[in-house]
Every structure is written in C-alpha cells, then in structure tokens.
Amino acid sequence: EIVKDLDSHRHPFHVAIENWQHDLNIGSIVRNANAFLASSVHIVGNKRWNKRGAMVTDRYQHVLHHPTIEDFVEWSKTAGKDGGPIPIIAIDNVPGCKKIEEYDLPEECVLLFGQEGPGLSEAAIQASQVVLEITQFGSTRSINASAAAAITMHQWVMQHVFKRR
C-alpha cells in the first residue's frame, strides 16, 4: 500500500550509480532517492550493495539493476514517459563539466553518479548529455557520493517542484 501511494506521485527523475567496486554509499543514495521521491534508482555494474544505509527505504523505492553501462543506456533510450529517450545527466568533477547551479535540469532525466573515489567511467561520461559539477569552495577535491546525490536531487526539486508553486 505504501509503494502504491508513493507511485501515485513520484517525481519524473531517476537516480543511477555506477557500482563496480561495491560502493558503500548506495544505501544512502537509495534513502535519499526515497526522501526526494525519485521514480527509481538504477545500480549499474555490480548487483550487490550494502542495504544497511538504505534504512529499509529500499522496500519502498524501485531499485533496478543494469549489468553494464551499455545495458543502462539501452534502457534510457525508451524510458521516457512517451516511450522515447530520457536524458542522462552525469554528476562528476571532471575537466569540461558545467556548474549544476547554472544548469536547467530536465524535468524527466536520470541523474548519474560515480562511485566514491574513481568517479564515473569514461563510458558513462560519454553516454551522458552533460556532466555537471557541484561547486565547492574548500580544500577537498570532491564530496561524498551520497552527499552529492542529495544535493543534486534537492537542486532538481528546487527547479521543478518549488518553481511550480
């Protein structure tokens, strides 16, 4: 009943994370996706992940698995509401990326995150419509993957949910 109720008003963005080294942040990302009512979470690569961080929200959040980035890209080609493609928006701090604070996120999209440490694979970056970074001001090179996911989902909510009000 809870899932049915949530499904009746989920937001049209999805969240994806590459998982090729068993990232411990996935549970927290699933929990964040539930908090922001993402349509679904996609785990690309290794199917196993630590569910403790999800705090049981994986029972209420659709979690899908794609063995490879190529499988994920194939899914995205027909995942849109109208059966068309859904844009993949990568979040990573690589050369040539754009600032998320200055970018209009599509209403229907997949927010793709890399694994803590290595970030996104080159194949994932190439499959993305754009690569966005979260502006940082301190001495660290990057922020935690689950923190980046929460910031990005909140940015989507600010642009699409609160903008409507």
Side-chain angles (χ1 to χ4, degrees), residues 136-151:
Q136 300 171 88
F137 302 96
S139 61
T140 186
R141 188 189 85 71
S142 65
I143 59 175
N144 174 278
S146 61
I151 291 166

Side-chain angles (χ1 to χ4, degrees), residues 4-109:
K4 186 177 178 180
D5 178 57
L6 294 174
D7 285 349
S8 72
H9 55 278
R10 286 189 193 275
H11 297 304
F13 74 89
H14 300 255
V15 176
I17 183 167
E18 273 194 303
N19 181 37
W20 29 287
Q21 296 177 347
H22 192 62
D23 193 327
L24 298 175
N25 286 292
I26 292 174
S28 295
I29 292 172
V30 169
R31 183 178 179 189
N32 292 337
N34 177 268
F36 290 106
L37 204 55
S39 183
S40 61
V41 175
H42 301 261
I43 299 172
V44 181
N46 187 351
K47 190 173 186 175
R48 293 184 56 209
W49 55 282
N50 184 338
K51 294 184 179 182
R52 290 180 61 195
M55 304 290 291
V56 193
T57 58
D58 56 307
R59 292 183 187 168
Y60 310 108
Q61 184 64 51
H62 300 292
V63 179
L64 307 169
H65 176 251
H66 306 274
T68 66
I69 194 70
E70 293 78 18
D71 292 319
F72 171 68
V73 170
E74 279 304 308
W75 167 85
S76 75
K77 290 179 181 178
T78 59
K81 286 184 219 174
D82 61 359
I86 187 168
I88 299 170
I89 310 296
I91 311 298
D92 205 344
N93 56 356
V94 296
C97 58
K98 297 180 179 183
K99 295 180 182 306
I100 193 170
E101 301 85 4
E102 299 172 356
Y103 191 83
D104 290 328
L105 293 167
E107 184 172 13
E108 189 176 25
C109 63

Side-chain angles (χ1 to χ4, degrees), residues 18 69 90 92 94 112 120-131:
E18 273 194 303
I69 194 70
D92 205 344
V94 296
L112 175 61
L120 287 166
S121 68
E122 186 58 33
I125 289 172
Q126 293 303 316
S128 301
Q129 175 178 299
V130 65
V131 181

